[in-house]
């Protein structure tokens, strides 16, 4: 393998990687280099990749076991490949169009995601990522102490639950081209530490997923709200973020344990279609 060309796209996180063809099997050297690039940059991007669903899955499997989505249906031919679609005339909000870390309401949320662009608008439809290590590191020592050992309750209620109070009509939530189920089990409460330690880098990050976090454990919604609102707002400060402009055949691979992301919904009248593959993770500690 020739050396990877790694070009950071922002001060906080994110790097484009050139000099690799993701349709080809990874050798040990390339795997190690990409894993290091992911740990250092939190989200890595590739351009001009022409890959089939099988090749996307084979690439993802180097990094761990794969998962299917509990609520959104994958391709009939490849259930682990989730089509993320917004049609030109969809009235729906876009999938992922709110700050979140993917399915943080699972006991063992994913380690990462690999998102491949099949069709994107000429302009718009960017994805913003935020570095949750930085969000943690820049808190005051006093607030870090207050949060140390504290846990929070996450649910999938606002995304996939029937009693969602924020967005009530299903057709406003998801594209008609995505097969997404609303289910009662999305309301099951799962507790995670508010500060988590990355299992591979050993670094601490703030673990709040704006769409899923409900309240601090052993505290009411009302009691939790002021501090949670502060943390959610603080964690999206522009200087903690990077913004990726997609082209057809771009790939983003993010570490879901130490980032949040937000898919911009600013391209009404244009079709956007991606393939997403999820790599399993472990219980946050
Ligand atoms: C997601 O949240 O997985 C979707 C991100 C995107 O479509 O940019």
């Amino acid at each position: 393998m020739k050396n990877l060309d790694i070009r950071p796209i922002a001060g906080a996180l994110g790097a484009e990687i050139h000099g690799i063809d993701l349709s080809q099997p990874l050798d040990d050297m390339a795997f190690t280099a990409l894993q290091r690039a992911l740990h250092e940059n939190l989200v890595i991007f590739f351009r001009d990749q022409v890959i089939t669903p099988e090749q996307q899955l084979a690439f993802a499997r180097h990094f761990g076991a794969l998962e299917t989505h509990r609520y959104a249906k994958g391709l009939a031919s490849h259930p682990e490949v989730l089509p993320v679609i917004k049609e030109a005339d969809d009235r729906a909000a876009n999938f992922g169009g709110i700050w979140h870390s993917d399915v943080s309401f699972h006991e063992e949320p994913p380690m990462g995601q690999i998102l491949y662009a099949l069709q994107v608008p000429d302009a718009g439809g960017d994805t913003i990522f935020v570095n949750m290590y930085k969000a943690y590191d820049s808190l005051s020592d006093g607030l870090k102490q207050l949060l140390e050992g504290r846990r929070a309750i996450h649910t999938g209620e606002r995304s996939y639950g029937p009693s969602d109070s924020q967005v009530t009509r299903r057709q406003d939530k998801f594209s008609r081209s995505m097969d997404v189920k609303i289910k009662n089990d999305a309301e099951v409460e799962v507790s995670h530490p508010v500060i988590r330690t990355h299992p591979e880098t050993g670094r601490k990050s703030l673990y709040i997923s704006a769409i899923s976090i409900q309240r601090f454990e052993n505290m009411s919604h009302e009691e939790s709200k002021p501090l949670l609102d502060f943390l959610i707002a603080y964690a999206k400060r522009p200087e903690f973020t990077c913004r990726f402009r997609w082209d057809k055949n771009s790939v983003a691979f993010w570490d879901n344990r130490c980032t949040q992301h937000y898919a911009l919904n600013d391209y009404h009248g244009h079709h956007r279609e991606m393939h997403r593959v999820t790599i399993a993770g472990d219980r946050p500690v």
Side-chain angles (χ1 to χ4, degrees):
M1 185 200 78
K2 64 182 167 67
N3 280 344
L4 293 179
D5 174 12
I6 302 177
R7 304 179 201 161
I9 67 161
L13 79 166
E16 277 194 22
I17 303 205
H18 298 264
I20 189 157
D21 178 354
L22 302 188
S23 71
Q24 298 304 309
L26 284 188
D27 61 24
D28 288 350
M29 243 174 98
F31 168 74
T32 306
L34 288 182
Q35 199 177 42
R36 182 177 314 127
L38 183 67
H39 289 158
E40 288 174 2
N41 297 284
L42 288 58
V43 52
I44 50 182
F45 306 104
F46 307 86
R47 301 272 184 197
D48 303 320
Q49 302 290 331
V50 181
I51 50 173
T52 62
E54 286 84 5
Q55 288 165 335
Q56 187 177 354
L57 291 168
F59 174 67
R61 279 195 192 99
H62 286 283
F63 297 88
L66 306 186
E67 274 182 14
T68 53
H69 199 286
R70 277 190 206 160
Y71 305 97
K73 197 158 180 238
L75 298 179
S77 55
H78 302 88
E80 296 119 326
V81 177
L82 176 68
V84 174
I85 302 175
K86 184 163 181 258
E87 302 283 359
D89 60 350
D90 265 336
R91 286 191 308 124
N94 60 334
F95 188 85
I98 192 157
W99 282 107
H100 65 287
S101 164
D102 290 306
V103 293
S104 71
F105 49 90
H106 286 191
E107 295 281 354
E108 295 183 347
M111 166 264 159
Q113 301 280 5
I114 297 174
L115 189 66
Y116 177 53
L118 299 169
Q119 190 178 333
V120 290
D122 287 344
D126 296 355
T127 308
I128 309 178
F129 296 86
V130 67
N131 179 336
M132 298 299 280
Y133 293 136
K134 273 198 187 293
Y136 169 76
D137 288 342
S138 61
L139 293 175
S140 66
D141 288 344
L143 188 47
K144 284 179 183 158
Q145 277 163 24
L146 190 80
L147 295 174
E148 195 64 50
R150 200 159 294 277
R151 300 179 70 84
I153 302 298
H154 298 239
T155 77
E157 176 190 337
R158 295 192 194 109
S159 308
Y160 307 108
S163 66
D164 167 14
S165 55
Q166 290 196 340
V167 187
T168 46
R169 290 187 311 173
R170 188 197 173 282
Q171 72 266 27
D172 288 338
K173 277 170 112 174
F174 302 111
S175 168
R176 62 186 148 78
S177 299
M178 292 185 67
D179 186 352
V180 184
K181 299 274 181 287
I182 302 297
K183 290 191 190 165
N184 290 333
D185 70 0
E187 304 198 342
V188 170
E189 296 193 338
V190 170
S191 161
H192 290 309
V194 176
I195 298 168
R196 75 180 285 188
T197 303
H198 194 288
E200 285 156 277
T201 66
R203 293 184 65 189
K204 287 183 178 180
S205 69
L206 203 52
Y207 191 55
I208 50 169
S209 175
I211 181 76
S212 308
I213 200 159
Q214 304 290 334
R215 60 182 171 80
F216 294 111
E217 192 171 75
N218 302 322
M219 285 172 67
S220 68
H221 283 96
E222 195 182 14
E223 289 165 336
S224 307
K225 191 172 179 334
L227 183 51
L228 272 188
D229 283 352
F230 167 78
L231 292 172
I232 288 168
Y234 188 79
K236 54 189 183 198
R237 287 173 70 161
E239 58 269 36
F240 302 154
T241 69
C242 72
R243 176 169 173 156
F244 185 61
R245 181 169 183 157
W246 295 90
D247 293 313
K248 179 178 161 72
N249 296 337
S250 301
V251 175
F253 179 5
W254 61 89
D255 188 328
N256 192 49
R257 301 165 290 191
C258 51
T259 58
Q260 286 190 94
H261 57 282
Y262 183 109
L264 281 165
N265 189 9
D266 58 351
Y267 54 95
H268 187 67
H270 301 274
H271 182 93
R272 183 178 185 271
E273 182 163 351
M274 325 289 271
H275 276 173
R276 194 180 88 165
V277 172
T278 301
I279 303 165
D282 38 28
R283 184 181 293 274
V285 289

